[in-house]
Amino acid sequence: MKRLTYIIVLVFFTIAFLSCRDKESKTLSTEVKHSGALRTIMSGNIQSVISLDTLAKMKNLYALGAVDNLKGEIQIFDSQPSNSFVVDSSLQIKDSYNLKASLLVYAEIKAWESFEIKNCTTKSDLEEQIFKIATEYNIDTNKPFPFLLEGNVKSLDWHVINWKDGDTIHNHKKHKESGLNGTLQNKDVEIIGFYSTKHKAIFTHHTTNMHMHFKTEDDAIAGHIDDLLLNNSITLKLPK
């Protein structure tokens, strides 16, 4: 009788252990939504696909995109817009949801887990590290996921698009040179990005799995990231 009881207890704990291990091994996924596509924009269709005011009640919204007709860049951090525009050859930052987008990628994230990235210099290095850390953290990398980067960058090439009315010939180089562009050096920034291996020409360009926008710590500059170099370390945040 004692032997039977021992076997029953052993089986119970074995099942419980395997059940817990299975729960821990499950991948984490976040619902990432998008409206519009880069391939559509490159074909010359730059009209509105979504109104930002339809998302204004979301409490933990993170988003990036392009203003309709390519008249600015969209950056939203925890439901706080830092959208950038070119007005009379000067950069202006507005915190309004009262605009439309020709491309928007977004997700609602209530909490983030922080990781330190070290010994990573280039944008391609960063892309590899984000994928590696996300995989180790059990993020479902077969699906798109958002990420944040916070810290001081060695340099950051940026642009804010201001497309010329009536221009129907689109390419990546013209998009970068339209409007305003510049390079930041040794600046504290916050970066919102979306990573996907399956959305090239939709919300990532064909040469990368990432699409990133940024804002400076003082909110003076915000826009699309073209390239960047990192210092010794930077903080990566992934959805909890």
Side-chain angles (χ1 to χ4, degrees):
M1 185 67 181
K2 289 183 179 179
R3 181 178 177 81
L4 178 60
T5 301
Y6 173 78
I7 292 172
I8 291 172
V9 170
L10 181 62
V11 169
F12 172 80
F13 280 108
T14 301
I15 292 172
F17 171 75
L18 292 174
S19 176
C20 289
R21 188 176 68 176
D22 180 63
K23 287 180 180 178
E24 290 176 357
S25 66
K26 288 182 179 178
T27 55
L28 307 172
S29 62
T30 301
E31 185 178 14
V32 173
K33 298 181 179 180
H34 67 89
S35 296
L38 288 170
R39 65 166 67 104
T40 302
I41 290 173
M42 289 300 181
S43 73
N45 185 350
I46 57 176
Q47 301 303 310
S48 168
V49 293
I50 187 171
S51 295
L52 257 63
D53 58 12
T54 61
L55 309 177
K57 293 184 179 180
M58 296 176 70
K59 293 183 178 180
N60 304 110
L61 177 66
Y62 292 82
L64 61 79
V67 178
D68 66 324
N69 295 311
L70 303 185
K71 294 294 187 181
E73 307 287 347
I74 295 168
Q75 300 78 220
I76 300 176
F77 295 83
D78 200 15
S79 298
Q80 298 298 315
S82 293
N83 302 319
S84 46
F85 305 85
V86 180
V87 180
D88 295 330
S89 300
S90 297
L91 184 65
Q92 291 193 6
I93 308 296
K94 300 180 182 180
D95 62 0
S96 174
Y97 278 92
N98 186 27
L99 58 89
K100 297 178 180 180
S102 57
L103 174 70
L104 192 71
V105 193
Y106 59 101
E108 194 171 17
I109 309 298
K110 294 182 179 180
W112 300 84
E113 188 73 31
S114 295
F115 306 85
E116 188 176 10
I117 294 180
K118 290 185 175 181
N119 302 318
C120 179
T121 304
T122 66
K123 186 179 176 183
S124 59
D125 293 339
L126 177 64
E127 185 170 331
E128 291 179 5
Q129 283 297 308
I130 290 174
F131 184 83
K132 180 177 181 290
I133 293 170
T135 302
E136 292 172 349
Y137 185 56
N138 282 338
I139 294 287
D140 187 353
T141 54
N142 289 313
K143 297 179 180 179
F145 62 89
F147 63 89
L148 298 176
L149 294 166
E150 296 177 353
N152 187 275
V153 292
K154 185 174 183 179
S155 69
L156 186 152
D157 297 338
W158 61 271
H159 78 260
V160 173
I161 198 166
N162 187 32
W163 196 250
K164 183 180 178 181
D165 293 335
D167 190 345
T168 59
I169 307 301
H170 292 261
N171 59 56
H172 188 50
K173 183 174 184 291
K174 286 177 68 176
H175 280 199
K176 289 171 63 174
E177 295 175 351
S178 168
L180 292 176
N181 58 75
T183 298
L184 301 177
Q185 293 184 330
N186 295 312
K187 287 288 187 179
D188 291 329
V189 297
E190 185 172 0
I191 295 170
I192 169 68
F194 288 87
Y195 193 109
S196 177
T197 60
K198 302 181 185 302
H199 288 79
K200 285 183 170 65
I202 299 175
F203 60 75
T204 72
H205 291 288
H206 67 281
T207 58
T208 179
N209 293 321
M210 303 187 299
H211 189 161
M212 299 184 292
H213 285 204
F214 81 102
K215 66 174 183 176
T216 54
E217 189 177 40
D218 58 5
D219 252 349
I221 304 175
H224 178 93
I225 295 176
D226 296 315
D227 202 1
L228 80 166
L229 293 174
L230 302 178
N231 283 311
N232 294 328
S233 67
I234 196 165
T235 299
L236 168 68
K237 292 186 177 182
L238 296 173
K240 271 192 177 181

